[in-house]
Amino acid sequence: MRFGLGLPLLVCVLLTGFALAEEAQTPAGGYRHWLTDLAPPLAGVETQHWFPDHPGARFTVGGPVDVVLGLHNSAGEAFNITHIAGSINSPQAFQYYVQNFTLKPYNSYLKPGEQASLQYTFKPDSYLPVQEWQLSLTAYLRTDRGFFCNTFFNQTVDVVDQPRWVDTQLLFLGLIGCGVLGVIALFSWDSISNLALVKRANKRKRKPASRPSPGPKVVAPAGTSEWLKGTNYGQESRSRLKKESSRKLPSSAPTSPQ
């Protein structure tokens, strides 16, 4: 099958059409990318900006941020504010784009000497690391002479985490601290208990042994066995019996028999 020159010509036409369509959709007209290859700014355009809900330029991840752009046309020629867009870049290397925001169309026509205020909303990604980032916001203008890009904000901002009722990180650190304190208290109590036991054992070793108390004396009853008479016990018994018998004698002398 022979295609001749028809197929190559068709391919060239399609490629040219795609290129023209991409260029027509690019707000900077003819520039390959609306963020990395910007047109020069239009001289004589005064811009002001403010963040109504974030006066300190501190933005929370995953939360919408409104910025109000005020423009005053002192350029001496009319222009059309076609789009506003922005991006978050690395603060150390601006050429590294972390997040691109929506390219929002406006088509607001501004004559010389006129003023206008436009609101643009963007939202830092919820997975964006909490740290300092470079924020860039640009207004895309078009005049009869061509396209221009005026960047009205290009500064470092603080991206912080959303407020929480309970900070899980602080709670986790608190649990770790309580666990460490519990382990220290356990070891301290164990050491104190062992020291008390050692002191108690030493005190028991130093205490002298107590002598047994003498038991009660046993008095032998009358009619003791004969084998006790020659011992000390027998002599003590005889002396005690003599004393008892002397106390029982009457005080008066006995009468002689007639």
Side-chain angles (χ1 to χ4, degrees):
M1 180 182 287
R2 297 180 179 179
F3 293 97
L5 297 177
L7 183 58
L9 182 62
L10 179 61
V11 172
C12 292
V13 171
L14 291 176
L15 292 176
T16 304
F18 286 142
L20 293 175
E22 182 180 0
E23 182 177 352
Q25 292 176 0
T26 304
Y31 288 87
R32 298 301 301 172
H33 198 276
W34 52 274
L35 283 177
T36 59
D37 195 3
L38 298 178
L42 179 61
V45 178
E46 301 175 4
T47 59
Q48 295 289 336
H49 67 273
W50 64 94
F51 300 94
D53 301 327
H54 305 82
R58 290 174 58 89
F59 311 130
T60 57
V61 292
V65 180
D66 295 330
V67 57
V68 178
L69 169 63
L71 299 98
H72 182 265
N73 187 358
S74 300
E77 60 178 328
F79 60 83
N80 181 21
I81 308 169
T82 60
H83 299 79
I84 293 179
S87 63
I88 288 181
N89 304 66
S90 172
Q92 289 79 22
F94 186 80
Q95 66 271 18
Y96 292 104
Y97 289 81
V98 179
Q99 181 183 359
N100 297 338
F101 299 130
T102 304
L103 182 67
K104 183 177 180 180
Y106 287 90
N107 293 321
S108 179
Y109 193 78
L110 202 62
K111 295 180 180 180
E114 292 183 343
Q115 298 179 358
S117 296
L118 303 174
Q119 178 176 318
Y120 178 72
T121 303
F122 62 94
K123 182 172 68 174
D125 193 85
S126 57
Y127 294 100
L128 191 67
V130 177
Q131 64 176 54
E132 190 177 72
W133 294 101
Q134 185 82 13
L135 175 63
S136 178
L137 300 173
T138 303
Y140 298 87
L141 313 177
R142 182 176 181 177
T143 67
D144 295 337
R145 297 185 292 115
F147 293 89
F148 301 89
C149 297
N150 287 52
T151 299
F152 59 91
F153 188 89
N154 188 19
Q155 301 177 17
T156 56
V157 296
D158 292 328
V159 177
V160 299
D161 201 357
Q162 294 182 355
R164 303 173 182 175
W165 291 102
V166 178
D167 196 333
T168 55
Q169 293 182 352
L170 290 179
L171 181 61
F172 182 70
L173 291 177
L175 292 176
I176 292 178
C178 291
V180 171
L181 291 177
V183 171
I184 294 174
L186 180 62
F187 277 101
S188 300
W189 176 257
D190 189 42
S191 301
I192 293 173
S193 301
N194 293 336
L195 183 60
L197 291 176
V198 170
K199 287 184 177 180
R200 192 176 303 171
N202 292 335
K203 188 178 294 184
R204 288 179 180 177
K205 290 180 181 179
R206 294 175 184 176
K207 187 177 179 180
S210 58
R211 298 179 179 178
S213 58
K217 294 181 179 181
V218 180
V219 180
T224 313
S225 302
E226 293 295 330
W227 65 274
L228 292 175
K229 290 182 180 181
T231 62
N232 293 332
Y233 180 81
Q235 294 176 2
E236 290 177 359
S237 300
R238 286 195 298 268
S239 61
R240 187 166 52 253
L241 291 174
K242 288 180 181 180
K243 289 180 181 181
E244 291 179 356
S245 60
S246 62
R247 283 197 296 268
K248 292 180 180 180
L249 293 176
S251 57
S252 60
T255 57
S256 60
Q258 294 180 0

